[in-house]
Amino acid sequence: DAGVIQSPRHEVTEMGQEVTLRCKPISGHNSLFWYRQTMMRGLELLIYFNNNVPIDDSGMPEDRFSAKMPNASFSTLKIQPSEPRDSAVYFCASRTDRDRVDNEQFFGPGTRLTVL
Amino acid sequence: AQSVTQPDIHITVSEGASLELRCNYSYGATPYLFWYVQSPGQGLQLLLKYFSGDTLVQGIKGFEAEFKRSQSSFNLRKPSVHWSDAAEYFCAVGGTRSGGYQKVTFGTGTKLQVIP
């Protein structure tokens, strides 16, 4: 298996532009997580999907952020409009089985977003 | 609410020396505990986990961690560090039901530098 796939790996954009980050989870995994990592705040959970349904989006910072999971093999995280403070590394992770918290989360390589 | 504290932001050790990374957690019952490693430009990889049983847990790459309930700690250890261990290490705790599922909370990380 190729692991969790994220694209693009790097994104540089200007303030006010729309940004879309993409994630393909590991086949057969039914849970998907989006995280944001910054020096100041560390690793923060933004949103969690289970069986393509958003379960917990309490970490989504504001309405400029939205996430979708149209099917089991694809998810997007969109920022519109983007702001310089959104600059961070965004990780996608996937896992099997909703209630087994001891199950390992498998992380993608991340997307490094820079908003100028 | 559950939380994790990694008191050391940055640690430097000599190659071949022993290593201990500290992790303290806050949780009302027996937690699920994890250590992840993040190499530069990569996503997080699970080193080891604890959720019950023997309090000394063995992981990959020669790492181990010991769960001490009385101290609310889950410190990571390695008897002899290799240059390839230079990375950032994250402790995480899980177990609180939030929004209908069990959430994992990550610490802020400890960056390990290995000198020859």
Side-chain angles (χ1 to χ4, degrees):
Chain A
D1 198 315
V4 176
I5 299 172
Q6 291 186 248
S7 64
R9 293 294 309 275
H10 301 274
E11 177 80 32
V12 179
T13 191
E14 292 186 346
M15 183 174 62
Q17 296 298 304
E18 178 181 294
V19 174
T20 300
L21 311 182
R22 297 173 177 80
C23 175
K24 177 178 169 55
I26 293 173
S27 177
H29 284 190
N30 60 343
S31 294
L32 183 140
F33 306 81
W34 281 102
Y35 290 90
R36 178 173 66 178
Q37 185 180 40
T38 61
M39 290 289 293
M40 293 298 295
R41 302 171 68 95
L43 195 65
E44 305 172 275
L45 177 66
L46 299 178
I47 189 168
Y48 159 64
F49 290 89
N50 180 256
N51 292 326
N52 312 336
V53 176
I55 302 298
D56 181 359
D57 64 356
S58 59
M60 295 286 266
E62 49 198 273
D63 291 345
R64 296 185 298 107
F65 285 69
S66 62
K68 294 182 180 180
M69 192 163 186
N71 57 63
S73 59
F74 184 65
S75 177
T76 60
L77 178 67
K78 186 177 293 187
I79 308 172
Q80 167 63 16
S82 58
E83 296 181 3
R85 60 193 170 113
D86 301 331
S87 298
V89 181
Y90 291 81
F91 287 102
C92 177
S94 69
R95 186 181 77 188
T96 58
D97 199 343
R98 167 178 174 170
D99 290 329
R100 290 293 304 276
V101 74
D102 58 298
N103 285 348
E104 176 183 357
Q105 292 185 33
F106 290 82
F107 283 77
T111 294
R112 182 174 294 276
L113 173 65
T114 302
V115 183
L116 303 174
Chain B
Q2 63 199 47
S3 66
V4 178
T5 301
Q6 292 182 249
D8 303 307
I9 297 173
H10 190 273
I11 282 183
T12 300
V13 299
S14 298
E15 190 169 15
S18 64
L19 172 70
E20 183 169 28
L21 302 182
R22 297 183 291 165
C23 172
N24 293 99
Y25 68 88
S26 175
Y27 182 66
T30 300
Y32 297 95
L33 294 161
F34 308 82
W35 274 101
Y36 282 82
V37 61
Q38 184 181 25
S39 298
Q42 302 296 316
L44 279 68
Q45 179 187 19
L46 183 69
L47 282 176
L48 48 79
K49 63 184 179 183
Y50 169 82
F51 55 93
S52 67
D54 193 345
T55 56
L56 185 62
V57 180
Q58 301 297 320
I60 62 171
K61 304 185 181 186
F63 285 91
E64 66 177 26
E66 186 171 13
F67 170 60
K68 293 185 177 180
R69 184 189 303 275
S70 62
Q71 299 177 19
S72 297
S73 69
F74 189 57
N75 294 349
L76 182 70
R77 301 193 295 247
K78 186 168 185 179
S80 177
V81 169
H82 188 262
W83 64 266
S84 61
D85 294 325
E88 191 158 17
Y89 292 80
F90 293 87
C91 183
V93 63
T96 299
R97 283 201 172 268
S98 174
Y101 75 104
Q102 300 196 35
K103 188 175 180 177
V104 175
T105 302
F106 286 83
T108 51
T110 297
K111 193 162 288 186
L112 174 66
Q113 182 182 9
V114 180
I115 56 177

